Amino acid sequence: MAGRGTGPDFVEALARGLDVLACFGPDRPAMTLSEVAAAADLARPTARRLLLTLEELGYVRTRDGTHTLTPRVLDLGMAYVGALGLWDIARPHLESLVARTGESSSMAQLDGSDIVYVARVAVPKLITLRVDIGTRFPAAQTSQGKVLLAALDPDELAAVLAEPSRSGLPPYIGRTATQLADELVEVRARGWALADEELAPGVRSVAVPVRDGTGAVRAAANVTVHAAETSRDVLLAEHLPALLRTAGEISGEWATWQRRPYAELAARRAEPA
């Protein structure tokens, strides 16, 4: 929470405002002033001023003494996604993949020890977990997370796994740290990861890396199925090849998009004065 900045240009007021936004979540969608102050570790007068400011800006709604976030907070996350160009690039490819497989597909990136969904195309199937853009899950319990963790060097991986999850889900107890490390070695070698009912009963998925223009793994794309309807063999034999092609197409277009500013700048410089 606020108070952890050390740089001479650190803006404490901004940090506290972000802390207020971050204290809301699926388990705390609506809070009183006292609850916000406690969750953000702020004095009540400070929390009140911040809530009033956020309300005036349109990020918070207050009714009968209870504060909730408004849909406008999505603008903050979508600005990040839009800046990367990921959603515009990925959407048609994910839509095509979903049309071929009849299953939901998503893209996620790593944030601490969690994954955060940055793109999704869903089909109306009964799955035990709701997933939207911005949803976070513990990385080690998901196929996308395993792909992203496998791309880290040993020091980065240790630091990431040491961070507590902010997903609100209980830790997975079906695997030791050594087993996870061995699995990540396999994931890195074969280029895909499987999560078989590790996140929730009935949820099975396979994921592959999405790379930027330098070849670095920057995101992961997956296909998610209901375990009672789709076996591991079908998931790997039929859906994984289509997913690999889709991720390759997204990676290629993303690399082209990332080079565009430099190409446009070079073209302008080449124009006659």
Side-chain angles (χ1 to χ4, degrees):
M1 292 299 180
R4 66 287 193 193
T6 57
D9 298 318
F10 184 82
V11 181
E12 187 70 28
L14 175 59
R16 288 174 173 171
L18 294 174
D19 286 341
V20 168
L21 292 177
C23 72
F24 290 89
D27 56 334
R28 293 184 299 200
M31 290 187 285
T32 64
L33 171 59
S34 296
E35 290 170 335
V36 170
D41 194 22
L42 297 169
R44 276 174 56 93
T46 302
R48 177 179 175 274
R49 291 195 300 272
L50 291 170
L51 285 167
L52 289 173
T53 300
L54 291 169
E55 183 176 9
E56 188 169 341
L57 292 173
Y59 294 110
V60 169
R61 180 182 297 114
T62 302
R63 182 175 299 169
D64 298 328
T66 300
H67 308 280
T68 58
L69 298 182
T70 73
R72 187 170 185 181
V73 299
L74 293 174
D75 293 343
L76 301 175
M78 291 309 297
Y80 166 72
V81 176
L84 290 174
L86 264 179
W87 174 235
D88 289 335
I89 291 170
R91 178 169 52 189
H93 296 288
L94 295 184
E95 290 174 345
S96 178
L97 176 64
V98 169
R100 291 198 303 273
T101 64
E103 305 290 353
S104 298
S105 181
S106 306
M107 285 182 57
Q109 293 187 294
L110 199 62
D111 182 22
S113 61
D114 295 330
I115 60 166
V116 177
Y117 284 77
V118 298
R120 178 164 174 82
V121 177
V123 297
K125 289 196 174 186
L126 183 61
I127 296 290
T128 54
L129 288 174
R130 177 177 175 177
V131 178
D132 300 298
I133 292 178
T135 296
R136 64 171 59 235
F137 291 131
Q141 294 172 230
T142 68
S143 58
Q144 292 165 300
K146 292 176 188 178
V147 166
L148 296 169
L149 292 174
L152 302 178
D153 65 39
D155 290 339
E156 289 177 316
L157 178 62
V160 164
L161 293 179
E163 296 187 31
S165 171
R166 290 184 283 155
S167 67
L169 295 180
Y172 181 61
I173 59 174
R175 177 182 49 221
T176 66
T178 299
Q179 289 172 328
L180 174 61
D182 291 341
E183 184 176 3
L184 294 181
V185 171
E186 294 181 9
V187 169
R188 190 178 304 112
R190 70 192 179 197
W192 55 268
L194 179 73
D196 196 355
E197 300 189 84
E198 297 170 35
L199 189 61
V203 179
R204 177 178 289 152
S205 68
V206 64
V208 300
V210 174
R211 302 177 184 274
D212 65 11
T214 69
V217 176
R218 293 284 304 277
N222 79 344
V223 170
T224 302
V225 301
H226 196 294
E229 298 178 355
T230 306
S231 67
R232 289 173 54 135
D233 289 343
V234 169
L235 180 62
L236 298 180
E238 298 183 13
H239 298 336
L240 176 57
L243 177 61
L244 285 165
R245 288 194 297 272
T246 298
E249 293 166 356
I250 295 172
S251 297
E253 286 195 20
W254 195 12
T256 300
W257 182 88
Q258 288 178 312
R259 289 194 297 268
R260 184 182 59 183
Y262 302 100
E264 292 177 350
L265 179 59
R268 286 198 299 270
R269 287 176 173 172
E271 291 176 357

